[in-house]
Amino acid sequence: MKKKLLFFDIDGTLYNTSKKIPEATKKAIEEARANGHEVAIATGRSPFFLKEVSEELDIDSYVSFNGQFVVYQGKTISKRPIPADVLERLATEAEKDGYPVVYLDEQRMTSTTEYDDHVKASMDSLFYPMPEYDLNHWKEADIYQALLYVPEEEKPRYLKAFPELAFIRWHKYSDDVINHDVSKAYGIEQFIQHTDFTLADTMVFGDGLNDIEMLELVAKEGTSVAMGNSPERVKEAASIITEHVDEDGLSKAMRRLGLCK
């Protein structure tokens, strides 16, 4: 088989519902790499939140922040921070409405509240503590992603007020906020531009709503795989559907695709 470029989402794809990487997945990725395939991550997580999985799987290439910050073999090749003037407007609007905001650069995550039940619930789902309280973070660093804790029924108002931004629901209480023209698909396109791979050489694996763009993009020429635990909208975007993550769906798909035995 010709050498392939493999992108893996983390939560619900590499990580099972217990936030662990199944042994079958580790073995499949190790075999795929030994067979000459390039392995990378495509995630909504920040670079500092990739350390554990990167070390566990020995991966130093990734599309992070849903495409806003891209690294190839340890070197940053693309970054698209949210413009400061847009962040200022978002901060003002959220403060007026009383909605918490979490800001992320490539090194740290902060919150506009010292404690909030909704922020705590979302962090608990990631097995992550409450972020550091800091009202000035967005003024002092390049922010690549924000988390806006807006009720679903109020989201249309923000969509209308901020056409420069995309709001992607990732948790019951929270949206990922990034530049409107950036996605995992955008990040993968930047990645490909800096390598010898083509879209036809690419395979992507995901399960979430923020994976739809990359699944649709790669399905045009390459292979995109949706996990069995994906919502129907995600499955419709993929060229292949595999079993649930808790049923070793990822390793089974990789074997079917001939990436490993």
Side-chain angles (χ1 to χ4, degrees):
M1 176 187 290
K2 185 179 178 182
K3 183 179 179 182
K4 300 295 183 180
L5 173 59
L6 314 177
F7 286 98
F8 299 96
D9 170 57
I10 296 179
D11 300 288
T13 303
L14 286 173
Y15 278 173
N16 59 22
T17 53
S18 298
K19 297 297 180 184
K20 303 291 184 182
I21 302 176
E23 288 302 319
T25 294
K26 294 179 187 178
K27 182 178 179 182
I29 289 176
E30 183 179 334
E31 288 186 18
R33 184 184 284 115
N35 289 334
H37 304 298
E38 186 91 25
V39 178
I41 288 171
T43 182
R45 292 186 179 216
S46 60
F48 66 82
F49 205 7
L50 295 179
K51 190 174 186 296
E52 184 175 344
V53 66
S54 296
E55 291 180 351
E56 191 168 1
L57 296 175
D58 191 24
I59 297 175
D60 61 359
S61 297
Y62 52 84
V63 170
S64 64
F65 288 129
N66 288 311
Q68 302 254 112
F69 196 91
V70 184
V71 170
Y72 177 52
Q73 295 183 350
K75 179 182 178 181
T76 303
I77 57 176
S78 176
K79 52 184 181 178
R80 285 279 307 277
I82 301 173
D85 62 317
V86 178
L87 285 172
E88 182 175 12
R89 287 171 44 223
L90 180 67
T92 300
E93 190 72 15
E95 182 180 13
K96 181 184 73 174
D97 292 334
Y99 299 149
V101 183
V102 168
Y103 296 105
L104 301 97
D105 62 24
E106 74 273 25
Q107 297 180 327
R108 61 193 286 252
M109 172 166 56
T110 64
S111 174
T112 59
T113 179
E114 292 187 75
Y115 181 85
D116 179 89
D117 286 340
H118 290 175
V119 177
K120 178 67 162 55
S122 69
M123 293 298 123
D124 285 349
S125 75
L126 299 172
F127 294 83
Y128 201 83
M130 272 291 294
E132 173 190 355
Y133 174 60
D134 187 341
L135 292 176
N136 296 312
H137 184 196
W138 67 267
K139 302 175 185 178
E140 300 165 348
D142 284 339
I143 300 299
Y144 294 95
Q145 184 169 287
L147 309 180
L148 176 66
Y149 290 80
V150 56
E152 192 72 55
E153 63 271 18
E154 292 296 317
K155 182 174 169 178
R157 182 161 56 85
Y158 277 80
L159 288 170
K160 183 177 180 180
F162 296 93
E164 312 95 328
L165 299 174
F167 296 82
I168 307 163
R169 205 71 172 179
W170 72 276
H171 186 271
K172 178 181 178 180
Y173 300 123
S174 179
D175 275 35
D176 284 338
V177 182
I178 59 175
N179 290 307
H180 77 99
D181 57 345
V182 176
S183 64
K184 290 186 183 183
Y186 170 87
I188 287 172
E189 288 175 325
Q190 304 309 303
F191 197 104
I192 288 173
Q193 288 179 18
H194 289 80
T195 69
D196 294 329
F197 292 102
T198 67
L199 199 57
D201 301 323
T202 306
M203 294 183 178
V204 295
F205 303 80
D207 76 297
L209 297 178
N210 62 343
D211 295 319
I212 290 176
E213 291 89 349
M214 77 168 183
L215 292 168
E216 289 177 337
L217 172 72
V218 176
K220 295 175 183 177
E221 298 182 38
T223 302
S224 62
V225 180
M227 304 298 293
N229 43 286
S230 306
E232 286 305 312
R233 285 172 56 195
V234 178
K235 292 177 180 177
E236 290 169 1
S239 51
I240 295 173
I241 302 170
T242 189
E243 288 87 347
H244 194 287
V245 65
D246 289 340
E247 299 169 356
D248 289 330
L250 182 55
S251 60
K252 289 175 181 176
M254 292 177 69
R255 285 200 298 272
R256 292 188 194 112
L257 291 168
L259 299 169
C260 56
K261 293 183 179 180

